[in-house]
Amino acid sequence: MAVYDCAIVGGGFAGLQAAIQLGRYRRRTIVFDTGDGRSTLCGCYRNLLGWPDGANGPELRTIGRSQAERLGVEFVGARIDRAERRGDVFVLTDEQGRPTEARRLLLATGIGERLPDLPELLPCLGYSVYICPDCDGFETAGRRTIVIGSGEAGARLAMELVYWTNDIVYVNHGGIPPEEAALRSLEEHGIAYVERSVVRPEVEGTQFKGVLLADGTRIEAHCAFTAMGGNRVRTELAVQLGVALKGRHVEADARTKQTNVRHVWAAGDIVAHSQQAAIAMGDGAQAAIWMHKSLLGIEVPAGTV
C-alpha cells in the first residue's frame, strides 16, 4: 500500500484550503469528505472578502475541490472511523474497513449542526435564516427577527441580537425552559418569549416570512436565527489519537495549527476559536504550510500547545 504524504479528514473550507496549498507543494495528498458539513448547508456567505453579494457554500466547495484535483489531490467520499499511529505513519480506516496510510494528518472534521427538524428552513439558510450572529447579525438590523431555539442557547442568541435589532421574538421550539435569570434578561430587553413549538415555517423561495405555532398562532418576521444547542464537535478521531481538547474543541497551536500530538494538525470549526469561514480557510493554509515544512525536516515550533 502506497503511503501518502498528507491525509486530510474533512472537505469543508479548512480541508479544501489545506488541500490546495499541499497540492501546490506537490505533496501526495488525499482528502476524505462525507459531504455533510456546515458549508454544505449555507446558501449565502455575505461576510467574505470579494463576495459582497454572497458566496454559495456548496458552489465554493465544488470549485475548491476542482481546484485541488487539478493539483493532483485525491478525494474519497468515505467516513474515517478509526485513526491510529503505527511508527512513522498514521493509519486511517474507513467505515468499510479499508486502510489508508499517511505521514502527516490534518483533522478538519468540523461541527455537526443541530438544526430544528423543520426542513422548510433549509433553502433559506444564509439568505434569511442564520445560525451565527457574528457572521450574520448584520442582516437583522432594523428587522423583525425570530429566534427558533431551545433553552439557554436560544436565550443567549436572542440577547446577542439586541445589538442589531430591538424587534425580536424568541420561540422556544425545543421546550427546555431557560433559567430565571435569562428570562428576566429577555424581558428587560423587550424580547418577546413564546414557549411553543413551530409546526411550520412560512417561506417563499429563500425568503423567511414567519412561523405557524402549534396553537395556531402565526408570527410574521423578516428573518430568523436557529439556536437549538447541542451541536456536536467531531473530535472522535482526535480523541483516538490522544489529541488534547479545550472544552469540547481541539487545542491547536496558534501559529502552526499542530496539536499536542506530533504530526497531527487541526483546522476549522473543530478548533477552539470563533467559527468563521474565513478563519477556517486561514487555518487550513497555516496547517498545510507547516505540514510541508515538517516533511522537509524542519522542526515545527512547540508553540503554545
Side-chain angles (χ1 to χ4, degrees), residues 270-299:
I270 193 177
V271 178
H273 61 52
S274 176
Q275 295 161 25
Q276 297 276 320
I279 293 174
M281 293 179 191
D283 275 4
Q286 276 183 281
I289 288 167
W290 285 99
M291 292 167 80
H292 168 69
K293 288 181 184 294
S294 74
L295 287 164
L296 293 176
I298 299 171
E299 188 62 32

Side-chain angles (χ1 to χ4, degrees), residues 8 54 62 89 92 118 134-135 138 155 157 163 201-202 209 213 232 234 236 242 249:
I8 300 171
T62 299
V89 301
L92 306 175
L118 300 167
D134 294 312
C135 303
F138 173 85
L157 192 142
Y163 179 83
E202 299 185 336
K209 295 287 187 177
L213 301 181
R232 181 173 66 87
R234 294 169 170 166
E236 294 86 354
H249 294 258

Side-chain angles (χ1 to χ4, degrees), residues 257-280:
K257 300 304 169 187
Q258 186 173 222
T259 70
N260 64 301
V261 177
R262 191 166 183 261
H263 296 161
V264 177
W265 280 260
D269 288 350
I270 193 177
V271 178
H273 61 52
S274 176
Q275 295 161 25
Q276 297 276 320
I279 293 174

Side-chain angles (χ1 to χ4, degrees), residues 48-71:
L48 291 178
L49 175 67
W51 299 88
D53 297 320
N56 179 274
E59 288 180 6
L60 276 180
R61 287 173 58 99
T62 299
I63 294 167
R65 175 168 175 163
S66 175
Q67 189 175 351
E69 287 177 329
R70 284 166 53 188
L71 294 165

Side-chain angles (χ1 to χ4, degrees), residues 196 199 211-219:
R196 287 189 288 279
V199 173
V211 293
L212 173 65
L213 301 181
D215 65 353
T217 302
R218 278 185 165 81
I219 303 176

Side-chain angles (χ1 to χ4, degrees), residues 145 147 149-162 165-172 176-195:
T145 301
V147 175
S150 183
E152 292 289 309
R156 285 195 303 270
L157 192 142
M159 292 297 298
E160 286 191 63
L161 295 179
V162 169
T165 179
N166 58 10
D167 194 358
I168 304 169
V169 181
Y170 172 25
V171 176
N172 190 345
I176 300 172
E179 298 290 337
E180 285 297 325
L183 290 172
R184 286 196 299 272
S185 292
L186 293 173
E187 184 176 4
E188 289 168 2
H189 287 83
I191 298 172
Y193 175 68
V194 179
E195 197 168 293

